[in-house]
Amino acid sequence: RVGLELTWFNKESRDLLIARPLPPSLGFSASPFVNLGRAVNRGVELGVTGAIIRRENFSVDLRANLNTLHNELTDLGGVAAFGGFTRFNVGRQIAYWNSLKIRRVDVGAGRTIVSDTAEYIGNLLPTFEGNAGPTITIARNVRFSASFDWKQGHKIYNLSDDIRDRSSPNLPSERSVMRDSLPPEERLRLFGPFFTEGTTGPSRQVGADQVIEACVQDASFVRLRELALSYSLPGRVA
């Protein structure tokens, strides 16, 4: 036997609170929060259950749940895009990773070329996730079950790597300890020096703290969340 459950959702959130900047001439140092923003969340959720084997003293059941997510900020009420490494802009997920983006590594010149301005480098929210697992029952009383889950389509800023690689001599990472022995391209990508490509003006050197792309890592995973073995006492004992 197989059971299916399918849900499609399309939700619009209105009047999101956004700090609207005021002209300095008004004499206020703080930007007031106003209800200006809009965002959408839409996707599909699919649930599947299956009774694979049914015997008097043995059974196997499977279950799986999958869902997709499209999250998008659709309106800022006239407020300009704002934020730093996590930025808010129309047409993107609510908060996305934003940094000067590595264009190329110039090994000959001993430098890494990056974009003139910060750009989108990844989502904070997963766009696909799910979980699944079997349940095996033996002699009606012994039950073995497992649960796996996974997520993908998003990235995470590994601040620990960034600090240990670049700015903390007391907590060196494996990469920073081996800095001089790394392949030249990998060493330049991680540690620079970084120079802008100069498409909107003269090229300039920028600090490594403005280039986090090398430390914004794929956050996709599959993991065993739970493994369980249980025994139910027979009814006559209860």
Side-chain angles (χ1 to χ4, degrees), residues 195-215:
F195 288 82
T196 60
E197 57 187 343
T199 58
T200 60
S203 178
R204 68 188 191 282
Q205 185 172 0
V206 295
D209 59 340
Q210 298 183 53
V211 188
I212 66 167
E213 184 181 4
C215 296

Side-chain angles (χ1 to χ4, degrees), residues 162-173:
D162 198 352
I163 291 174
R164 295 175 66 193
D165 280 347
R166 297 170 170 176
S167 60
S168 180
N170 296 323
L171 294 170
S173 68

Side-chain angles (χ1 to χ4, degrees), residues 48-180:
V48 181
T49 58
I52 308 303
I53 299 175
R54 277 286 187 269
R55 298 288 185 269
E56 182 177 357
N57 290 312
F58 182 75
S59 64
V60 177
D61 298 283
L62 294 175
R63 67 189 185 284
N65 295 282
L66 311 172
N67 70 270
T68 64
L69 173 66
H70 174 81
N71 170 267
E72 181 182 342
L73 187 60
T74 58
D75 190 6
L76 280 173
V79 173
F82 59 93
F85 291 148
T86 53
R87 191 162 178 83
F88 300 82
N89 200 358
V90 172
R92 294 289 186 187
Q93 276 195 2
I94 291 183
Y96 58 90
W97 296 118
N98 189 66
S99 166
L100 296 180
K101 194 168 186 177
I102 296 173
R103 297 288 195 230
R104 66 184 185 278
V105 177
D106 189 342
V107 176
R111 61 177 57 183
T112 299
I113 309 303
V114 299
S115 58
D116 293 333
T117 57
E119 299 180 5
Y120 163 86
I121 56 174
N123 295 325
L124 267 77
L125 301 177
T127 56
F128 179 83
E129 56 186 308
N131 60 78
T135 299
I136 301 172
T137 305
I138 302 172
R140 300 183 182 181
N141 298 97
V142 179
R143 182 175 291 106
F144 171 82
S145 62
S147 179
F148 298 86
D149 67 347
W150 61 89
K151 294 183 180 181
Q152 65 185 63
H154 64 306
K155 295 186 176 183
I156 188 171
Y157 175 27
N158 193 327
L159 183 58
S160 296
D161 270 3
D162 198 352
I163 291 174
R164 295 175 66 193
D165 280 347
R166 297 170 170 176
S167 60
S168 180
N170 296 323
L171 294 170
S173 68
E174 182 179 353
R175 293 187 300 192
S176 62
V177 170
M178 299 176 60
R179 177 172 179 165
D180 293 335

